[in-house]
Amino acid sequence: MTGTPGLLAAFTFCAMLTVSRCDAEYQLPPPTNLSYVWLDNLAVNMSWSWEKPESLPDDCKIKYEVRVQATPHQEITKRPESRERVEHCITEDTDSDHCTFTVHAMVSEKSCNWSQSTDVTETARREEPRVELVKEFKCLLELKGLNCSWIPLTSQNLQLSYRACVSGTNKKDSLKACGQPYSTGTRNGCYWHVAQGWEDASICIYIESEIGWSFFKPTIGPASPVLTITEEENNRLKLTWSSPEFKNLCIWIYELCYKECDEPEQCWEHTHELSDQNDTLLHQSDMPHKRDCHYEFRSRLKTSGKDCPELVSVWSEIVTYGTNKTPDRTLPLVAIIIPIILFVCILLACYCFRKHSHIICPNIPDPSAIFKEMWNGNKEHNKAEHKTLENVYTPMPEAVESCKVTLINQSGALQPNS
C-alpha cells in the first residue's frame, strides 16, 4: 500500500509525456508554395499547396484560414474552400498599397485530435508608388450615365478606369476604361455608360500614369439644384428648386444653408419622394425676410432610405440676395444732438451776459447828478484854463549894445563920427 502513491505519480508523468509527444506528432503540416499573381492593377490571386499526412484519417476534413491585411488597421479573416483566393488588394484607403496574406491549415472536426499548422505569410506589393494625380474629382449621375470631371496635377497622360467598390471574382468587378474623354478649360472629364441601377453607384476610380497610380472612391450624386429666389408680400422670400432629372424610388432630401446679415450659417432640410408623376415638379418653400440684410444661399441634394445608396451632390454655387443697409439713425441723432447744442448755447450766452453785463445793461445816471456834474465840470475847466495861462513860458529880455559907425574916406583914413 505504501508504494501505490509513487506508482500513480509515475504513471501520471508517463501519460503527460505521451500526450505531449502525441500533440507534437499530430500537428498539421503548414501550407507550402504560397505565391501570388496580380490579375489586374487591383486584384491579387493567392494560391498555395498542402500535403496530407499519411496518419491523418480520411474522415478528417481539412480547411484553410486566410487573414488578409490590406492596411495596418484593416484585417479580414476568411475560410476559402479551395487552396486559392482572389482578393482586391488595393482599396480606396490611402494606406493601401499592398496586401499581406497569412494562411494556415486546420481540421473541421475537434474529434480528429489534430492541431492547426503554423502560419505561412506572403506580401503582395505594388512596385509603382501611390501618388495624388488629380484634385476636385466630381461625379454626376445623369440619365446617360456617369459624368466625372477633375483637375489634373501632372502633365503626364492619365489613364482612368473604374469598377464597383466590392471584392469578388465576378467579371463585372474588373476595371472598365474611360470610353468618352473630354476637356473643358482646366478640367478634364469622362463619360461612363454605367448600367441603370444602384449597384453601380458605389464605384472606385483607378488612375495610372508614368509616375505612379491612384485609387479612391469619389462622391457621386446628381447635379447641384438650381435655386431661384423671389420676394413676396409680407416680407417673405419664396425659394424654388427642381428635382433631379432621373427617376428613382429613393427619398431625396434637399438641404439648404443660408447666412442672414452677419449671423452664423443656418441649415434646414426638405424631404420629398420622387416618382414617375412628380419627377419634374418644382418644389417651393418660403422664409421670413429682413429687407436690410444680405443673404447667401447654398444647397445640395442627398438620398435617404435603407435600400438606397448614399448619393450626395456637391454644394451649389452661392446665390446672394439683398444688401446690408445701415439703419436710419437720423431721428435718434437729432433727438440727442440738438438738445446738447441748445444747452451749450445757453451756457455760453449766460457766461457772455455775465461777463459783459456793464455793456449790455449799463447803469442809468441820476439827471440831477448830470447837471451837477456839468456845473462842476465848467468850474474845473476855467480853473484849468487859468492855470494853463499862468504856466506859459516867458522869455528873458536880451542886452542890446549900441553900434558906432566909422566912415573911411577915399584915402583910407578914418573919419570921426559927427
Side-chain angles (χ1 to χ4, degrees), residues 179-230:
Q180 296 182 353
Y182 67 89
S183 177
T184 56
T186 59
R187 298 187 68 86
N188 296 338
C190 180
Y191 285 104
W192 281 292
H193 294 285
V194 297
Q196 294 296 325
W198 299 121
E199 67 274 9
D200 291 321
S202 179
I203 67 170
C204 284
I205 303 296
Y206 177 80
I207 307 177
E208 190 175 14
S209 71
E210 296 179 359
I211 62 175
W213 56 274
S214 179
F215 185 68
F216 55 91
K217 182 179 180 180
T219 301
I220 301 176
S224 301
V226 179
L227 179 65
T228 304
I229 305 173
T230 55

Side-chain angles (χ1 to χ4, degrees), residues 18-29 53 55 113-115:
T18 304
V19 171
S20 62
R21 286 198 303 269
C22 290
D23 289 341
E25 292 174 358
Y26 289 97
Q27 184 180 22
L28 295 176
S55 58
N113 198 24
W114 283 74
S115 62

Side-chain angles (χ1 to χ4, degrees), residues 378-391:
N378 290 335
K379 288 183 177 181
E380 292 178 358
H381 179 70
N382 293 333
K383 291 180 179 180
E385 185 177 357
H386 179 72
K387 288 181 180 180
T388 302
L389 292 175
E390 288 180 353
N391 295 329

Side-chain angles (χ1 to χ4, degrees), residues 259-308:
K259 288 183 179 180
E260 184 181 60
C261 290
D262 297 327
E263 297 180 1
E265 187 179 53
Q266 304 180 45
C267 297
W268 56 265
E269 294 181 349
H270 179 83
T271 304
H272 56 84
E273 186 172 354
L274 303 180
S275 63
D276 294 341
Q277 289 77 23
N278 67 351
D279 61 310
T280 58
L281 181 65
L282 292 177
H283 300 273
Q284 299 177 355
S285 182
D286 61 354
M287 60 177 289
H289 171 224
K290 296 180 182 179
R291 295 182 179 273
D292 296 336
C293 278
H294 172 75
Y295 289 83
E296 293 183 357
F297 297 89
R298 63 189 184 113
S299 57
R300 67 178 181 179
L301 283 170
K302 58 184 181 181
T303 56
S304 175
K306 186 184 352 183
D307 299 329
C308 294

Side-chain angles (χ1 to χ4, degrees), residues 36 75 105 140 146 201 207 386 406:
Y36 64 90
E75 184 177 273
L140 300 180
L146 199 61
I207 307 177
H386 179 72
T406 303

